[in-house]
Amino acid sequence: MRRRDRRILQEIEEDLTASDPDLAAAFDQVKRSSGGQTWWAVLVVAEITALLMITVGLFSDRGLVFLAGVAAASALVWAHNTYRQAQRLPAWRSLR
């Protein structure tokens, strides 16, 4: 997110907190849906699969399997980082 956008969101957050602190507190206390837990499980299973692809590719003559495993592992690192950053935001900030 760009700095300007983050600054605007910060201002909106401050205005909301100042005008209705109870509403802001209620948004912060909203629990995430179980879809987040499902997404986490899918990422873990995909990581295990990517590691298996790398291992099989290393110990066999299938270089393409190894390269696909490395590509999948790289994409999964990005997905984990994106997921963790999204989880750090307060619940009401992620509403659009």
Side-chain angles (χ1 to χ4, degrees):
M1 189 180 302
R2 295 182 306 184
R3 270 192 182 161
R4 180 178 174 271
D5 295 337
R6 276 187 260 155
R7 183 179 50 81
I8 291 171
L9 284 175
Q10 182 68 27
E11 290 173 6
I12 293 170
E13 175 186 350
E14 291 169 0
D15 290 344
L16 176 64
T17 303
S19 65
D20 195 351
D22 294 333
L23 179 63
F27 275 124
D28 283 337
Q29 292 176 358
V30 171
K31 291 188 176 183
R32 304 250 183 225
S33 68
S34 65
Q37 293 172 347
T38 303
W39 178 243
W40 183 257
V42 167
L43 283 177
V44 170
V45 169
E47 277 183 350
I48 292 169
T49 304
L51 289 175
L52 284 173
M53 289 172 68
I54 291 171
T55 305
V56 168
L58 280 174
F59 293 111
S60 71
D61 60 348
R62 307 232 182 238
L64 189 58
V65 173
F66 173 76
L67 291 176
V70 170
S74 301
L76 288 167
V77 167
W78 173 82
H80 268 290
N81 288 336
T82 303
Y83 178 76
R84 284 186 179 157
Q85 287 175 357
Q87 293 296 359
R88 289 184 193 144
L89 290 175
W92 63 274
R93 275 186 156 188
S94 62
L95 297 176
R96 294 190 180 177

